Amino acid sequence: MSFRKVVRQSKFRHVFGQPVKTEQCYDDIRVSRVTWDSTFCAVNPSFVAIIVEASGGGAFLVLPLHKTGRIDKSYPTVCGHTGPVLDIEWCPHDDHVIASGSEDCTVMVWQIPENGLSQPLTEPVVVLEGHSKRVGIIAWHPTAQNVLLSAGCDNVVLIWNVGTSEELYRLDGLHPDLIYSVSWSRDGSRFCTACKDKSIRVIDPRRGTVVAEKERAHEGARPMRAIFLADGKIFTTGFSRMSERQLALWDPENLEEPMGLQELDSSNGTLLPFYDPDTNVVYVCGKGDSSIRYFEITEEPPYIHFLNTFTSKEPQRGMGWMPKRGLDVSKCEIARFYKLHERKCEPIIMTVPRKSDLFQDDLYPDTAGAQAALAADEWVAGRTAGPVLVSLRLAYVPSKQRDTKGGRRSLLHDGGTPAPPATAATPATAPPAPTRPTPPAPTNPAPTGGGRLEEVLQEVATLRALVAEQGQRITRLEEQLSRLENGHV
């Protein structure tokens, strides 16, 4: 009897990464060499921001997404900090607002002009001073307007109202050592932290209390990271006692043992996790690695399912992550990274291969939009709300519709040779203009009337629907065949 290995079915099993062409990269950028485990890059649908080397202070570049190619050395930067910039993050509710934390112990909030920078930006909109040591972590609240979290090397977490420059909460004494990472929950009611004392903590900022804590989440001494997932679970990366890199999934209601634990390899670069709440896929990028691994998080054991690895030649110095609303849904793009090399930023596109040209509802559920669900005062008063969701269907343009031209009418026309078109101004039997001889009638004349174009588009839409229906039928038959085969094993 032959045994056949049953492969777990997943629509993300065949996700593949593709770097863009050389001319679509951002070249000749002096990426920061500061020794801090930050991503060094922040991206939104309008701009890409990159922390760069700067003499006499700290600076970062802000480039419009379309400004690819070689970046001139004299290109203006955001350069108001007096010490190296350690972390940057775009405001999720305004694509022209970015916050930065620096070794000069300050947090600054900047307003970027509509078309990018034309001269160096030295004056921030807001300066937030409250830390006694360098500020290494910046995190905007996911649903409340103008609420910003900062964590410094003084082991203090501060939460600010950027609109009024007011310090809302000072969380002191909760962390005995350096804070490695901070991640808000999806509704912003709590956040989790990873600390140098090897503990992960779930904290309610409005009460100033630790809701849950797990000591020695990862036994290794090297930095670890923790992020909240959409369902409230916590995903962590760290090191074992033998310095092997690990991934773990935790339930905050029961932190005694991890729900899942996987060991990856024995490299020494910190693992940076990026999470897509719409697809429940976690992408893991190691600093100094040349690969991106991705995993699907599910409800059934072993909970963390390895999908695939994107591998390239050059190691990554940092990584940017595009929000879902900035992706090209017409090409089934489910993630886009901005990989930092030593002197270059290279976009990497993650795609799910699909034959259908229809909008893929299963890949693109409603996602978090740019509108805030709460005002800062409402959040402080105790209200909690999830993100305001938007549909990506409006951003979808079928590629075939985009490429259809009049000269290709014969490919879409059914039955007979089309009659030459007649315009309203000139009857079909009108003689040709005397100054221009009549050319021979084309075999496939281009349509000029809007009515025929609408008929063709309607016909194409009908055919697409039929193809999609047959594809679903084939999928169901394949599933039945798989179940029958498994039953005979």
Side-chain angles (χ1 to χ4, degrees):
M1 182 182 293
S2 62
F3 288 88
R4 179 166 162 262
K5 184 178 179 182
V6 179
V7 179
R8 188 184 73 88
Q9 289 191 351
S10 170
K11 56 194 167 192
F12 305 111
R13 200 174 68 201
H14 301 295
V15 170
F16 69 96
Q18 182 74 37
V20 301
K21 296 177 181 178
T22 305
E23 58 267 22
Q24 294 175 298
C25 296
Y26 307 86
D27 285 314
D28 209 12
I29 295 171
R30 297 177 300 157
V31 178
S32 175
R33 295 177 177 274
V34 66
T35 55
W36 184 254
D37 285 323
S38 168
T39 59
F40 290 164
C41 183
V43 190
N44 69 18
S46 301
F47 300 101
V48 54
I50 303 165
I51 303 175
V52 294
E53 285 286 292
S55 56
F60 58 94
L61 272 175
V62 175
L63 302 170
L65 288 185
H66 60 79
K67 187 171 177 54
T68 54
R70 183 180 176 277
I71 307 301
D72 194 272
K73 288 184 173 61
S74 62
Y75 192 87
T77 59
V78 180
C79 51
H81 284 286
T82 57
V85 177
L86 300 179
D87 196 19
I88 51 176
E89 184 168 322
W90 289 101
C91 176
H93 308 125
D94 189 336
D95 287 345
H96 293 81
V97 173
I98 187 169
S100 58
S102 167
E103 282 194 7
D104 63 11
C105 307
T106 65
V107 176
M108 294 185 179
V109 180
W110 310 84
Q111 180 82 36
I112 306 300
E114 186 73 30
N115 298 316
L117 299 179
S118 57
Q119 59 187 12
L121 185 59
T122 58
E123 292 298 323
V125 179
V126 178
V127 179
L128 305 172
E129 296 179 306
H131 289 281
S132 59
K133 292 186 179 180
R134 60 182 181 170
V135 182
I137 298 171
I138 297 291
W140 289 93
H141 194 285
T143 61
Q145 184 82 35
N146 290 336
V147 175
L148 178 67
L149 179 150
S150 64
C153 294
D154 51 6
N155 310 335
V156 175
V157 175
L158 296 179
I159 298 177
W160 309 86
N161 182 343
V162 174
T164 61
S165 304
E166 176 189 1
E167 182 184 297
L168 298 175
Y169 302 103
R170 171 177 286 265
L171 305 175
D172 199 353
L174 301 182
H175 299 88
D177 213 329
L178 181 66
I179 302 168
Y180 284 140
S181 75
V182 175
S183 172
W184 286 99
S185 62
R186 189 160 170 79
D187 62 5
S189 60
R190 300 176 295 168
F191 63 84
C192 66
T193 63
C195 183
K196 193 175 181 179
D197 67 351
K198 303 179 184 178
S199 294
I200 55 174
R201 295 173 174 85
V202 179
I203 296 171
D204 183 336
R206 290 175 288 197
R207 295 182 179 177
T209 58
V210 177
V211 178
E213 180 176 354
K214 171 60 180 175
E215 297 178 356
R216 307 187 76 82
H218 294 276
E219 297 280 350
R222 296 189 61 79
M224 61 182 193
R225 296 257 170 167
I227 57 172
F228 257 119
L229 304 186
D231 60 0
K233 295 183 177 63
I234 297 173
F235 182 88
T236 62
T237 65
F239 292 80
S240 69
R241 189 176 299 168
M242 304 301 293
S243 294
E244 293 179 315
R245 297 197 291 192
Q246 295 178 323
L247 311 174
L249 185 66
W250 307 85
D251 183 354
E253 303 299 325
N254 180 16
L255 289 173
E256 291 299 319
E257 293 293 332
M259 296 174 62
L261 179 67
Q262 291 189 17
E263 293 191 345
L264 294 184
D265 53 34
S266 54
S267 297
N268 59 5
T270 303
L271 290 171
L272 306 175
F274 297 89
Y275 173 61
D276 180 3
D278 301 329
T279 59
N280 251 5
V281 174
V282 175
Y283 302 83
V284 179
C285 314
K287 270 213 159 183
D289 289 5
S290 55
S291 63
I292 302 172
R293 297 177 176 92
Y294 27 109
F295 303 81
E296 186 175 5
I297 310 298
T298 63
E299 295 294 330
E300 67 273 2
Y303 304 108
I304 306 172
H305 302 273
F306 174 74
L307 291 173
N308 211 333
T309 302
F310 166 80
T311 306
S312 57
K313 295 179 181 178
E314 298 294 324
Q316 52 226 17
R317 298 278 301 276
M319 195 69 75
W321 161 264
M322 173 67 78
K324 206 61 168 287
R325 56 192 175 88
L327 302 181
D328 187 349
V329 299
S330 306
K331 297 179 180 177
C332 294
E333 181 184 5
I334 64 165
R336 190 189 309 160
F337 291 93
Y338 286 74
K339 175 181 173 180
L340 299 186
H341 299 245
E342 192 170 347
R343 295 187 69 87
K344 181 172 77 170
C345 176
E346 176 187 38
I348 297 169
I349 294 171
M350 297 288 180
T351 308
V352 177
R354 290 285 172 94
K355 293 182 180 179
S356 171
D357 195 40
L358 299 172
F359 179 74
Q360 305 297 319
D361 297 89
D362 59 331
L363 298 184
Y364 302 109
D366 290 354
T367 191
Q371 181 182 347
L374 299 171
D377 294 341
E378 292 177 308
W379 181 75
V380 171
R383 284 192 59 193
T384 298
V388 178
L389 303 181
V390 296
S391 172
L392 296 176
R393 184 180 288 273
L394 296 177
Y396 175 73
V397 179
S399 58
K400 291 180 182 176
Q401 178 177 326
R402 214 164 38 208
D403 296 340
T404 301
K405 294 183 176 63
R408 300 182 65 176
R409 181 183 175 191
S410 61
L411 300 176
L412 306 174
H413 186 74
D414 54 337
T417 304
T423 63
T426 307
T429 57
T435 58
R436 190 174 179 182
T438 307
T443 308
N444 300 317
T448 58
R452 177 58 190 160
L453 179 59
E454 290 176 2
E455 290 176 16
V456 169
L457 292 176
Q458 186 174 1
E459 186 178 331
V460 171
T462 304
L463 289 173
R464 285 181 187 146
L466 288 172
V467 170
E469 184 179 344
Q470 292 300 322
Q472 292 172 358
R473 187 180 176 189
I474 290 170
T475 302
R476 288 196 297 271
L477 290 172
E478 286 177 344
E479 290 174 354
Q480 291 176 10
L481 178 62
S482 177
R483 285 197 294 270
L484 287 172
E485 288 176 344
N486 293 339
H488 285 87
V489 174

